[in-house]
Structure formats: C-alpha cells, structure tokens
C-alpha cells in the first residue's frame, strides 16, 4: 500500500494462511515487492483511523514459491526488462521453476516470445545485481540507509559496497548523489566511529568546502571554515586545525592568502583558477593569428552587405575582436551584441576564418545559432563529454579544431568549465567572450565574467546604447531602469504595443492562484499565447510562492491526472505524461545536463520508464531509480533560467523571498522574456529588489590572479 524508499517504512496488505481476508502489516524493511513471502514479528494494534494492524518489529522477506506469487514478484519492476505482461508469459511457460531458470539456465528464456539475446542478458544481469543489492540493502538498512540510496551505493562500489562502507562511511558523502555528510555521519556513528576521529573531521571540513562551492565560492576564509567546522562537528579548534593540516599535507586543500584573507581552496578549484588566469594572460600578450584585415574597410563592407550601420561602440567591439587574441563584449539587452557578432562573423567568413560558436546550455546555443545563422553547440558537447566518467575527450592533449571561438552567455560559465575549455583551446585560436555582466553569476563556483572585467587585464568593450527598435520594448527599457536602480513604471492592464506589466498583489498567499489564473486563462485570452509558451520564474524553491508549490498548483491546472495515461509516483511527487520537467544534475552517460528542459512523452510499465523529450529534440528514458534527477518545470527558479529565453515569463515577487531580493535577480528574470513579461506580487518586494544592488560577494581569487600576471 505504501513504501518509503528513503526510510524503509512500509504499509503492506498480506495474505495469511488460515485467514479469509488480507491483514495490514506496518514496519520497516530494506525493500519489498508484491508476491514475496513475508515473516513478521510484532504485536497486534487497533487504531481508530486504520483499524486492526500488525505492527512489526521485525520484517523479513523471501522469494515466493507459488506461481501466482512469482508472477507478481517478477512483474513488480524488480528485474529490468520484465514487466507484468512478460512476467505472466514466463510463469505460464516455466511455472514455479522460472526463478531457477533465470538464475541457472538463463539461455532458456529465449524460448519465450519477445525475449532475444539482448533482453535475456539484460534480465540475467539485473537478476544477479538484485541478489547482491538485496544483501547490501539489508546491511545498509540496518544503518539507516534507504533502498534508493542503497542501489546507488551498489552501482558505485559493486560487490565491495559493504566493505567500503565499513572501512570509511564518509566516502558515501563524496561519491553518492543524495547522501550528504550528515547521512554519512549517522552511518559512521552506527558503525562505532568516534566523534573526534580524524576521518570524521577531515570529511566534515571537506563537506563544508564543497557545500560552499555549491553556493558559488571557490574558497572559504580559514577562520570561517574552522568556526563552521566547530558547529557542524561539535569539536574544539585544536583537532580541527590538525585535520586541516592533514588535508593540506595530502594535497586535498590549498591554503593561500589574498589581501588580508587567509583562504582555503579545494585543490580542484585552486587549479581551475590558476589555469584560467594563466591561459587568459598568455592570450592577452599573444600576437594575432588572423590574416591581415583592415578593420575600418571591413566594417564598411559589412555594413553595405547587411544594411546596418554600426554605432561607435559596436564598431569598437568589432575592431577589438579582430585585433586581440582574447576579448570581452558585454552589455544589457537591446544594445546590439548580436549585431556585433553578425558583423564580426561576416568579416571572418569572407577571410576564410572558421568560427566556432558555443554557449553553456542547449537553449542558449540554439538562440546563438538562430541569431547568427551559423551552427552553435553547448560547451559540453564541443568538448565531447564522456558518459563513462564525466571527463572530456577534448583537452590539452587533444585540442579543439577551429580558428576563432565565441562563447555566448559567458556569465553562466563557472570556473571549472572555463578551465576545461581553455585547456582545449588551440594555441593559435582567437577567443571572444560575450555576456551580460549585470546578470546573476554562474550556478557553479566562481564569478568568471565579473572577475575578468574587474581585473582590467582582458581587453573589453561595454555596449550601453539602446537602439531605437529595442527602445520600443518596455521589457528592454524596464531592464535598463532596473540595472540603474530605478523602479520602472509599468502598467497593470493591457495597453497597445506594451510587452511588460506589473500586477500588484501584496498578499503572498493569494499569489499562487493569481499565477495559475494568469498562466491558464488571462494571458491566453488577452494576448493569445498558449500555456506552453509561458514560463513562471520565481526567486526560490521554498514557501508558497516558491517553485515547488507553484509546480504543484500549475501541474494540477495544466496537466491534471488522466486515468487513461497514468503517471508514476516518486518520493510523493507524481510525474505524468505531458509534464514539463527539468534535469537537475549533469548526467554524462545520457548527455543531459543541469538545467536542460523538456516534456514527459510517455510513462511505460513494461519496462517501467519515464521517457522525456528535451527541447533540443533528444529523448531519454529514465528508470524509476533515476527519476529523482528530474524536477517539474512549470515553474523554475530564476537561477535555473539563466541562458534561456521564453516567449512569456511570469515572475512572482513576495516578501517571502526577502533574503534573495536583489537587483541582478529581477534583472535576470526580466531579460529572459522575448515577447511578454508580467511581474506580479508585492510592490514593496519589487522596490526592495531593485534598490538592493548589494549581492553576496563570492570567495574567489581569480581577479587577483589575473591582475598579478600583468605585473
């Protein structure tokens, strides 16, 4: 009736010999599948709400013996490649011997229609894995690890899982998605590891540094790290100092002083910053590798070809890109960055120079291709990401091919991805970085674009003039007002040729219904856009105006349950055919990345899979154990929307978002809209966000490293 894979709590309906009706058994078990035999020890309990139940202190399961039990067991999704229909045919063919046949004579499975060699090997492999997993799950469950995580542990460590966990449970926090330091710490305590054990202290400090990296920091000040460590681990400074020293001696951390701040870097982020600074500084001093180009004559020629006359700032940007081996072009919406790129690429094409266009996300790459008329790809695909390891086939020993590289939306690129790209850049290549420095920084660690501009080391042009056609858009003029700290005056009701509105609703509890009404009815009726063209962007995940709650509201309104198209429930969230979803982490094996968006095409039962078609046209099938990589995307956070554009955006603003209300957040949300933007919520929250220019500075030393190379 119910099973929580994380806690192991189960509510079971059990057929008991000698009883006419099934009985209800509740208790904890590592895993449970319909059709299994069950042995339970405990007490009977009568509840006013649930009637008579057997509350089990001990639950033990075993494979079934009867054909009916085996059929339900095999059809429960336990074995990949077998669903209810194939389970029925297997039992019909082999009867009660089917489990032994799978185990010892699997070649005979091909006697059943629909099973070829490939599917038979899949069934056999899955059967062997589940037997091992069952043993591992029993061990891990006794130490508080639920079934879904136990399967991930098995996938990572294989048959050595129990030995690995016994030896160093803190490896789980490093290696297993979904297990953080606190979960690993509980397992360690249940295994008898002491609170001041060096392995625990080092793991805690490592966890704090990686947690900081997930919030954008490349380092933490030493005093702050020790203070956080004391709170997390409950120990004094002296053993923590010793643990830090141990991490430094092993090379896992790099202590450095920048300014007056003694900083502690994880090794990989220290290496990334040093590599980015070193390669960019080398490019600054390198001579051009392009054929001789008279920039002024080339610009005049391009203007004649395109019929567009460049502004002085745009012409300066083109000259810089033709002259410098590395250059930055930055500016807000409507200032002509795309015109600069088109002109530049036209000139390069006439000279036989091969451009390579990249962007951080699939959506951004698609927009870049549409705006320039040339192919563009994501950085991950250009670097040829490897599904087996998450590494890249393109690197310092196998460089990229091309003469002139452009990275658009560079504000989204974190320091680790930038390092990988620069290491793979051909020695003779030119590089142009294009982006809006006023948008939110990257989701990953570092503030690469901001640091590059702040260093003054890399030649750059900032475009500021808003062109006449763009100035007719209230989206663009409002964005520039916000960038300058002015609250734009926006209408609340439809006006001719207006594409940006603000609807006041100070009551945050009423906002979800207002957002639902806008998406489901009002925008469709008044402006003619379909709900599929509308994206809700919100500052945060939590609270009634956060992405989690808004997704529930919008899913029930836009894609309600349909009996003829059942969905699948995962951790209390139902995924239905037609749902808008987003990938929440990089999955190199299936080549989908954090922030990729798509729609569920189908939910299948045989085998159990959720099939998602992503916006770039690719499809990917998710087994039940990997569905938690997906999140509903009827509403997404503004951070997750970076690099994307949508025909229509709806942005709820509430004082619930107080801690995140800042200028670059609202600016980023507004500039995601291509045709229509509707801000809705508390005018006080809107005003507060626009007036709050301060944002938390990230701990990074890239600016200093770049500046130092110039000395």
């Amino acid at each position: 009736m119910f099973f929580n894979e994380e806690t192991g709590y189960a509510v079971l309906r059990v057929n008991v010999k000698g009883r006419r009706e099934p009985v209800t058994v509740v208790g904890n078990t590592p895993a449970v599948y319909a059709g299994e035999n069950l042995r339970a020890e405990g007490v009977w309990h009568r509840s006013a709400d649930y009637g008579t139940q057997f509350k089990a202190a001990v639950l033990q399961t075993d494979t079934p013996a009867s054909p009916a039990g085996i059929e339900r067991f095999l059809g429960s999704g336990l074995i990949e490649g077998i669903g209810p229909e194939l389970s029925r045919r297997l039992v019909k063919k082999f009867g009660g011997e089917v489990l032994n046949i799978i185990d010892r004579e699997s070649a005979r499975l091909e006697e059943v229609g629909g099973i070829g060699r490939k599917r038979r090997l899949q069934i056999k492999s899955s059967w062997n894995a589940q037997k091992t997993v069952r043993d591992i799950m029993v061990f891990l469950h006794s130490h508080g690890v639920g079934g879904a995580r136990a399967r991930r542990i098995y996938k990572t460590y294989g048959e050595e899982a129990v030995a690995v966990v016994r030896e160093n449970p803190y490896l789980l926090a490093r290696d297993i998605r979904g297990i953080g330091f606190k979960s690993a710490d509980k397992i360690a305590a249940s295994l008898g590891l002491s609170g001041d054990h060096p392995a625990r202290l080092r793991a805690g400090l490592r966890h704090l540094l990686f947690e900081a990296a997930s919030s954008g920091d490349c380092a933490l000040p030493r005093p702050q790290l020790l203070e956080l460590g004391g709170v997390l681990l409950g120990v004094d400074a002296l053993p923590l100092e010793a643990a830090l020293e141990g991490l430094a001696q092993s090379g896992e951390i790099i202590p450095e002083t920048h300014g007056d701040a003694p900083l502690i870097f994880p090794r990989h982020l220290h290496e990334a910053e040093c590599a980015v600074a070193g390669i960019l500084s080398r490019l600054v001093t390198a001579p051009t590798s392009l054929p001789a180009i008279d920039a002024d004559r080339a610009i005049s020629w391009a203007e004649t070809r395109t019929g567009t006359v460049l502004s002085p700032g745009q012409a300066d940007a083109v000259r810089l890109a033709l002259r410098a081996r590395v250059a930055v072009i930055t500016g807000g919406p409507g200032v002509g960055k795309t015109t600069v790129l088109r002109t530049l690429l036209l000139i390069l094409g006439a000279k036989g120079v091969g451009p390579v266009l990249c962007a951080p996300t699939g959506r951004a790459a698609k927009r870049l291709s549409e705006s320039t008329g040339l192919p563009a790809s994501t950085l991950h695909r250009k670097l040829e990401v490897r599904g087996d390891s998450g590494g890249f086939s393109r690197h310092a020993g196998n460089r990229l091919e091309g003469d002139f590289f452009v990275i658009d939306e560079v504000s989204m690129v974190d320091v680790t991805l930038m390092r990988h790209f620069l290491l793979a850049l051909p020695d003779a290549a030119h590089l142009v970085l294009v982006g809006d420095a006023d948008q939110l920084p990257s989701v990953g660690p570092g503030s690469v674009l901001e640091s590059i501009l702040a260093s003054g080391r890399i030649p750059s042009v900032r475009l500021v003039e808003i062109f006449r056609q763009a100035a007719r858009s209230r989206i663009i003029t409002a964005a520039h007002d916000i960038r300058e700290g002015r609250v734009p005056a926006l209408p609340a009701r439809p006006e001719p040729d207006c594409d940006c509105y603000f609807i006041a609703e100070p009551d945050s509890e009423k906002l979800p219904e207002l957002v639902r009404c806008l998406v489901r009815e009002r925008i469709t009726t008044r402006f003619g856009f379909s709900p599929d063209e509308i994206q809700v962007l919100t500052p945060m995940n939590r609270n009634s105006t956060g992405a989690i709650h808004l997704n529930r509201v919008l899913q029930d309104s836009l894609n309600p349950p349909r009996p003829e198209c059942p969905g699948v429930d995962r951790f209390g969230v139902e995924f239905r055919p037609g749902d808008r979803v987003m990938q929440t982490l990089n999955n190199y094996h299936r080549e989908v990345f954090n922030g990729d968006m798509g729609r569920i095409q189908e939910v299948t039962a045989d085998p159990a899979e959720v099939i998602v078609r992503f916006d770039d046209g690719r499809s990917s099938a998710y087994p039940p154990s990997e569905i938690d990589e997906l999140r509903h995307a009827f509403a997404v956070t503004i951070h997750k929307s970076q690099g994307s554009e949508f025909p229509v955006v709806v942005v709820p603003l509430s004082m619930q978002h107080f801690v995140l209300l800042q200028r670059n957040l609202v600016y980023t949300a507004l500039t995601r809209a291509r045709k229509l933007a509707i801000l809705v919520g508390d005018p006080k929250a809107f005003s507060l966000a626009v007036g709050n220019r301060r944002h938390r500075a990230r701990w990074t030393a890239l600016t200093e490293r770049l500046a130092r190379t110039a000395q």
Side-chain angles (χ1 to χ4, degrees):
M1 303 292 288
F2 175 79
F3 181 61
N4 186 319
E5 290 200 52
E6 294 304 301
T7 65
Y9 179 74
V11 179
L12 312 175
R13 294 287 285 170
V14 182
N15 290 321
V16 181
K17 189 178 295 185
R19 286 180 176 262
R20 182 174 298 176
E21 298 294 330
V23 301
T24 300
V25 178
V26 298
N28 287 72
T29 180
V32 62
Y33 298 96
E36 288 184 307
N37 291 330
L38 180 76
R39 176 174 174 270
E41 297 179 9
V43 297
W44 289 100
H45 173 76
R46 181 163 183 81
S47 161
D49 294 325
Y50 302 110
T52 301
Q53 297 179 329
F54 190 81
K55 300 188 74 171
V58 175
L59 280 178
Q60 293 180 339
T61 58
D62 196 5
T63 52
S66 70
I70 292 172
E71 182 179 328
R72 295 194 69 193
F73 178 66
L74 286 177
S76 65
L78 171 69
I79 308 299
E80 291 183 21
I82 300 180
E85 172 58 25
L86 184 55
S87 174
R88 183 188 63 77
R89 288 191 278 122
L90 283 167
V91 172
K92 183 177 180 181
K93 173 71 175 177
F94 299 116
E97 288 298 306
V98 65
L99 299 183
N100 287 330
I101 287 171
I102 294 173
D103 195 28
R104 301 187 181 97
E105 300 178 75
S106 63
R108 292 190 60 193
L109 295 176
E110 295 186 32
E111 298 173 18
V112 177
I115 299 181
R117 184 175 183 275
K118 182 178 179 181
R119 194 168 195 183
R120 186 254 299 176
L121 292 175
Q122 178 192 24
I123 291 169
K124 176 64 174 175
S125 174
S126 181
W127 172 261
N128 290 338
Q130 70 85 23
K131 288 199 301 180
T132 305
V133 168
R134 181 65 65 98
D135 295 338
I136 293 170
M137 287 172 71
V138 170
F139 167 77
L140 293 172
H141 183 71
S142 68
H143 296 289
V145 180
R149 292 173 179 172
R151 289 186 183 88
R152 291 180 193 146
I153 293 169
Y154 169 74
K155 282 186 176 181
T156 303
Y157 303 128
E159 295 183 3
E160 300 298 314
V162 172
V164 169
V165 173
R166 283 189 185 279
E167 183 176 348
N168 186 358
Y170 293 104
L171 291 177
L172 297 174
R174 185 193 69 184
D175 298 337
I176 309 299
R177 176 175 54 86
I179 296 185
F181 171 79
K182 292 183 179 179
S183 296
D185 203 31
K186 289 180 181 177
I187 297 169
S190 71
L191 289 169
L193 211 68
S194 65
D196 60 354
H197 193 285
R200 178 176 186 261
L201 303 186
R202 288 195 295 269
L205 293 171
R206 194 185 299 117
H207 160 73
L208 290 169
L209 287 171
F210 278 84
E211 192 176 57
S214 69
S215 298
D217 292 308
C218 291
L220 280 179
R222 184 186 184 96
Q224 182 179 339
L225 178 58
L226 290 172
E227 181 182 351
L228 292 171
V231 173
L232 175 69
L233 300 165
V235 297
D236 296 331
L238 193 60
L240 284 176
E241 292 275 7
L244 266 184
E245 182 61 29
L247 289 171
Q249 288 180 357
S250 68
E252 291 187 67
I253 63 169
I254 308 294
E256 276 187 347
T257 298
H258 290 272
D260 296 328
L263 299 179
I264 304 294
F265 290 82
R267 184 179 189 85
H268 73 289
L269 293 179
H270 181 269
E271 290 177 347
E273 285 199 352
C274 290
V276 170
I279 297 171
L280 289 178
S281 297
R282 177 180 60 78
L283 287 173
V284 167
T285 58
T288 181
S289 59
L290 296 177
I293 299 175
D294 183 325
D296 290 334
R297 288 184 62 188
I299 290 171
S300 296
W301 171 82
E303 288 175 336
T304 302
R305 292 288 300 272
T306 63
T308 301
V309 177
L310 302 187
S311 71
Q314 290 175 314
D316 286 344
V318 174
R319 292 188 192 97
L320 177 64
L322 292 173
R323 180 181 72 249
R325 283 287 296 279
V326 58
V328 179
I329 300 171
T330 185
V335 297
K337 297 190 296 293
T338 298
T339 300
V340 168
L341 275 183
R342 286 179 184 147
T343 303
L344 180 61
L345 296 172
L346 183 63
I347 293 170
L348 293 173
K351 291 292 184 177
V353 177
V356 179
L357 308 185
C358 307
T361 67
R363 279 178 166 271
K366 184 178 180 181
R367 272 197 303 118
L368 179 60
S369 180
E370 290 171 348
S371 64
T372 61
L374 294 173
S377 70
T378 65
L379 290 166
H380 283 89
R381 289 200 175 87
K382 184 57 63 178
L383 290 169
E384 298 175 15
V385 65
R386 295 199 303 266
D388 56 344
S389 64
F392 297 101
S393 296
R394 295 291 184 171
H395 44 70
N398 182 29
R399 303 293 182 93
L400 293 163
E401 297 174 1
D403 307 313
F404 198 101
F405 290 77
V406 175
I407 303 179
D408 197 16
E409 295 284 0
V410 76
S411 64
M412 293 180 62
V413 181
D414 63 44
V415 71
T416 54
L417 184 55
M418 182 60 80
R419 170 183 181 260
H420 287 300
F421 183 83
L422 292 176
L423 286 172
L425 200 66
D427 283 335
H430 276 239
L431 175 63
V432 174
L433 306 175
V434 183
D436 186 347
D438 294 306
Q439 287 188 21
L440 290 167
S442 59
V443 174
S447 300
V448 173
L449 179 58
E450 183 180 352
S451 296
I452 287 173
L453 293 171
S455 73
R457 177 71 169 135
I458 310 301
S460 64
V461 170
R462 179 184 286 271
L463 302 174
V464 295
E465 180 183 347
I466 305 175
F467 289 89
R468 185 179 304 169
Q469 183 176 354
R472 290 198 289 267
S473 166
R474 287 294 289 142
I475 293 173
I476 289 176
T477 56
H480 284 275
D481 281 342
I482 290 169
R483 185 173 66 83
E484 297 298 326
R486 298 186 296 269
V487 178
L490 298 174
R493 298 181 179 278
E495 293 183 356
D497 301 321
C498 185
D499 59 4
C500 190
Y501 299 87
F502 181 85
I503 301 174
E505 177 49 80
D507 188 344
S508 60
E509 298 306 314
K510 294 180 180 179
L511 268 180
E513 175 56 23
L514 179 54
V515 168
R516 187 206 66 79
C517 187
L518 284 166
V519 174
R520 186 71 181 85
E521 301 161 10
R522 291 169 59 176
I523 294 175
T524 299
T525 301
R526 298 182 184 182
F527 297 98
F529 295 102
S530 74
D532 289 345
E533 297 177 284
I534 304 168
Q535 183 63 56
V536 177
L537 305 178
T538 182
M540 64 198 317
N541 277 308
R542 302 294 175 184
N543 296 320
S544 62
T545 51
I548 294 172
H549 180 67
L550 289 174
N551 271 314
R552 292 195 196 103
V553 171
L554 292 169
Q555 182 195 31
D556 287 342
S557 178
L558 300 174
N559 193 33
R562 291 173 291 163
E564 70 276 13
C565 296
V568 59
D569 189 275
R570 199 66 176 158
F571 305 121
V573 178
E574 185 181 10
F575 290 92
R576 304 166 187 159
D579 278 350
R580 190 88 173 122
V581 292
M582 172 183 280
Q583 176 78 11
T584 60
L585 52 84
N586 291 337
N587 187 316
Y588 301 105
H589 179 71
R590 60 165 44 100
E591 290 192 31
V592 291
F593 304 102
N594 188 1
D596 284 356
M597 297 175 70
R599 195 172 293 278
I600 295 177
Q601 278 187 305
E602 186 180 3
V603 177
T604 65
D606 190 7
E609 288 180 331
V610 171
I611 300 171
V612 178
R613 182 175 178 84
F614 287 94
D615 291 345
D616 62 4
R618 293 173 303 110
S619 293
S620 190
Y622 291 73
S625 60
E626 295 183 12
I627 295 174
D628 60 343
E629 293 183 11
L630 299 173
R631 182 177 297 169
H632 282 109
F634 299 100
V636 301
T637 64
I638 296 168
H639 283 84
K640 288 286 191 182
S641 74
Q642 288 174 262
S644 299
E645 269 192 354
F646 309 96
V648 183
V649 301
V650 175
V651 186
L653 295 171
S654 163
M655 291 305 290
Q656 288 182 345
H657 307 142
F658 178 81
V659 295
L660 292 176
L661 292 175
Q662 54 198 36
R663 187 179 303 173
N664 59 356
L665 189 86
V666 181
Y667 175 84
T668 299
L670 192 59
T671 54
R672 300 308 88 205
R674 191 162 65 245
K675 297 179 180 179
L676 177 67
I678 298 181
L679 308 177
V680 55
D682 192 338
K684 181 180 177 182
F686 186 28
S687 179
L688 179 67
V690 173
N692 182 15
R693 186 177 184 180
R694 297 185 303 276
H695 60 273
R696 187 185 71 84
R698 294 183 168 186
W699 289 107
T700 169
L702 182 57
T703 299
E704 290 81 356
R705 296 187 203 282
L706 284 164
R708 192 185 306 142
T709 59
Q711 298 173 359

